[in-house]
Each structure stands twice: as structure tokens, then as C-alpha cells.
Amino acid sequence: VTARPFLPVVAVVGCGLVGASWAALFAATGRTVFAWDPDPERRRALAGRIAPLRRQLRRLGLAGRGRVTACETLEDAVRDAGWIQENAPENATLKQELFARIEAAAPRAATIGSSTSALLWSDISSTMHKPGRLVVAHPFNPAHLMPLVEIYGPDDVHARKAVRFMRALGKVPVRMRKEAPGHLANRLASALWREAVHLAAEGVADVADIDAALVAGPGLRWSVIGPHLAYHLGGGEGGIAAYLDHLGPSQERRWSSLGSPTLSPDVKAVLVDGVAAEAGGRSIAELERWRDEKLIAALAGSRRKAPAGGKRA
Ligand SMILES: NC(=O)c1ccc[n+]([C@@H]2O[C@H](COP(=O)([O-])OP(=O)(O)OC[C@H]3O[C@@H](n4cnc5c(N)ncnc54)[C@H](O)[C@@H]3O)[C@@H](O)[C@H]2O)c1
């Protein structure tokens, strides 16, 4: 952590699950954070929510001593910020109204990053005076630990600034050239989960075994190498071109057999019962702690590894 980090003053707008994680990461990388949430209870609780997240980040070597101040007004929070991370509820109209207030109060050069999971940049920016200053900067939950951030914004200056900033935080930014609902990672995750639900609904395996098949198989491989580069290796000396010639038809046959489930009451029951069996009585909080411990161990073990697939933006 440098004495004066790139973009030293940041604002966090919306202090729920994702906002608290961002605030912890910004502070742990030495930034001064001004946070705001319309709910006074959220503002009061913020320090307590952030403390354990900062302890986790310290274990990964992020021990910056940035301060987090919960502000009474949005305007106070954004007044001096070079970067504003918006984490309000997933509602386009609400975000548009928020951006109007932010634009009126923030420095002209500030970039606004939106954590939106599935809203389109073109929608949420459509009522802004200077839409170019908005970029989608979508983290993956838990946002303080997971390296991925998906960046989309048609203004090259702000999008590049976003990529640089995210790298300075130790993140792995991936820049999208076009917008898509759900960006990249959640679309990929949705495609995979659709098939997982199909397999559970058809009774091919229990929910726990389907999860295990992913975690112990492709999941582990994908934590190192993305699917395209993995199939490049699957083609031997001839690489992906040879793979496509040799096993492309077999992939196409598999694609045509993939399921397209609906979330009917019966399918929901299979999932809820299956997950209850897999959780084995562990509470959500216990499962979160267990997940975070595993993630921290994996991250500590893979320090500074190259991102799987994808050139740097
Ligand atoms: N939960 C996830 O896994 C996840 C992951 C990545 C991105 N996101 C995105 O992050 C954003 C926030 O999601 P979350 O899960 O933290 O939700 P959350 O419900 O935990 O937090 C939302 C917060 O926004 C506050 N809020 C309500 N109205 C507001 C307003 N007008 N202005 C500012 N804040 C307002 C609420 O009081 C609450 O504290 C959403 O856009 C979501 O799509 C969520």
C-alpha cells in the first residue's frame, strides 16, 4: 500500500452487502472512504460490518489504514471523491435518480462505478448529463475477496481509469466491449446453473453430488485456466483448431442435449431439499465463514497468478 494511493478519496453509496465489502477493500488499500446509505441504521452499523472484512483482508496482506466515515448526506459523501462506487438496490429508476444527485454534487472529474448485476449501462446512464462518467464496475460476491470486476463503459477515458483503479486495488478487471444483461460471469454462471438444475430435476444426481462434480472437476480447473484455453490444451499439439475439428461435433451433440428447466414448484422442492441435505444443518453465517476461509486460503495460495483467459484490458 503506497503512501498516497491512486484515487485516494472514494465514496461508497449504498452500504448493504456489496457496499460494505467495497468500503472494506477501499480502506484496506489505504483510501479515505466516505460512505452513505439512506437508512440511518445501515450507516450506524457500517463500522461493525466492515471490521471482520478488514481482518480477512489483513490476512491477505491488505493492511492499509484508510478511514471509513459514514456521512449523513449523499452530497457530503461524494463531494471530494475521485471514484464513487454505487451499490444501491437493483432498480433502474432508483439508480437514475441517484446518479442525478451524484452528478450535481460530485467533482466533475469523478468516475461513478455501478455495482449493478444485470442492468444495462445504456439504461441506467440514459438520464445523465454526462453519461460517459458512468462505468459498470460489477464485483463478484464476496466483493472484498473475489478478484473479478467486470467493467463496461463506452467512454474510453473513464473505462481505462476504472481498469487502472481496479488493478490498483489488486482486482482482476475484465473489460467488456459491448454490454450484455448479467455481463460475462453471471451469464456463464447462469448457463452452468441451468444445466445443474436440469440434472437435479431429472434426478441424474443429488444436488450435493452435482455441486461436488463442479467443485472437484471443472471448477478447480477453471480457477486456473478458462474454458477456451483449457480446450486449447485438450487439442494437443494442434491446439484449439485441432480440438474443434476432432471433438467439436461431440460438443455440439452435448449442447443439443442440454436441459432448459423451469422453476416449477416441483423443481423448487428438489432444489430446496437438496440444498438442505448438502448444508447439513449449517447456518448461512456458518456457510459464509467456511466459504470465506476456503477463498482466503485459495487466494493466498495463488497470489498474483495470471488471470485465467483474457488479455489485460
Ligand atoms: N448481492 C450480490 O451478490 C451482488 C453481487 C454483485 C453486485 N450486486 C449489486 O450490488 C447492488 C447492491 O446489492 P446488495 O446485494 O448490496 O443489496 P443490499 O440490499 O444488501 O444493499 C442495498 C443498500 O442500498 C440502500 N439503499 C436503498 N435505497 C437507496 C438509494 N436510493 N440510494 C442509495 N442506497 C440505497 C439500502 O438501504 C441498502 O443498505 C445491486 O445493484 C446488486 O445488483 C450484488
Side-chain angles (χ1 to χ4, degrees):
V1 178
T2 54
R4 188 179 159 77
F6 174 48
L7 297 175
V9 180
V10 298
V12 168
V13 174
C15 303
L17 183 76
V18 170
S21 279
W22 275 121
L25 180 65
F26 293 147
T29 53
R31 287 159 178 90
T32 300
V33 182
F34 295 102
W36 176 76
D37 193 291
D39 180 348
E41 188 39 48
R42 287 282 163 114
R43 296 200 294 269
R44 263 194 300 278
L46 186 62
R49 288 189 72 162
I50 288 176
L53 310 183
R54 289 186 77 167
R55 280 198 292 279
Q56 291 180 331
L57 289 167
R58 220 169 287 135
R59 289 169 57 198
L60 290 168
L62 296 178
R65 298 163 78 93
R67 268 185 69 116
V68 179
T69 305
C71 300
E72 292 288 314
T73 69
L74 170 65
E75 288 69 23
D76 283 345
V78 302
R79 185 164 296 128
D80 298 319
W83 180 273
I84 297 153
Q85 186 73 36
E86 171 275 313
N87 323 280
E90 188 77 341
N91 173 311
T93 311
L94 183 149
K95 289 194 197 275
Q96 287 166 351
E97 287 166 7
L98 200 49
F99 296 148
R101 287 179 64 191
I102 293 173
E103 275 197 301
R108 287 160 59 125
T111 302
I112 306 165
S114 174
S115 292
T116 181
S117 298
L119 299 172
L120 290 177
W121 177 92
S122 48
D123 247 358
I124 55 177
S125 70
S126 62
T127 53
M128 290 176 72
H129 287 297
K130 292 217 163 43
R133 65 196 301 203
L134 180 76
V135 293
V136 167
H138 173 252
F140 227 50
N141 188 42
H144 62 300
L145 295 179
M146 294 295 285
L148 178 65
V149 182
E150 295 168 305
I151 305 290
Y152 176 74
D155 182 301
D156 203 45
V157 170
H158 286 284
R160 279 173 184 272
K161 178 177 161 188
V163 167
R164 221 178 119 214
F165 181 48
M166 290 302 152
R167 285 211 188 113
L169 298 172
K171 292 272 188 207
V172 176
V174 170
R175 188 162 166 196
M176 295 175 65
R177 302 288 168 201
K178 281 185 182 177
E179 57 183 344
H183 319 308
L184 299 173
N186 276 331
R187 291 182 72 87
L188 294 168
S190 282
L192 200 80
W193 193 48
R194 177 168 61 185
E195 182 60 16
V197 169
H198 168 70
L199 292 169
E202 291 295 309
V204 176
D206 290 343
V207 163
D209 282 330
I210 295 168
D211 275 4
L214 194 66
V215 170
L220 186 60
R221 188 163 74 183
W222 284 336
S223 76
V224 178
I225 188 170
H228 295 103
L229 209 52
Y231 286 132
H232 186 49
L233 303 187
E237 281 306 305
I240 184 74
Y243 179 87
L244 292 172
D245 285 343
H246 178 205
L247 290 170
S250 139
Q251 283 279 0
E252 285 179 327
R253 274 196 300 280
R254 235 180 297 159
W255 283 339
S256 66
S257 78
L258 294 178
S260 189
T262 50
L263 294 173
S264 65
D266 284 353
V267 171
K268 283 185 186 174
V270 169
L271 297 178
V272 170
D273 293 348
V275 168
E278 183 177 3
R282 291 171 293 175
S283 68
I284 298 284
E286 283 172 315
L287 287 166
E288 273 177 351
R289 273 197 297 280
W290 166 79
R291 175 201 62 189
D292 288 354
E293 284 302 313
K294 291 269 194 188
L295 276 178
I296 290 168
L299 288 168
S302 69
R303 265 318 169 53
R304 303 262 72 89
K305 72 177 181 193
K311 62 185 191 305
R312 293 196 160 235

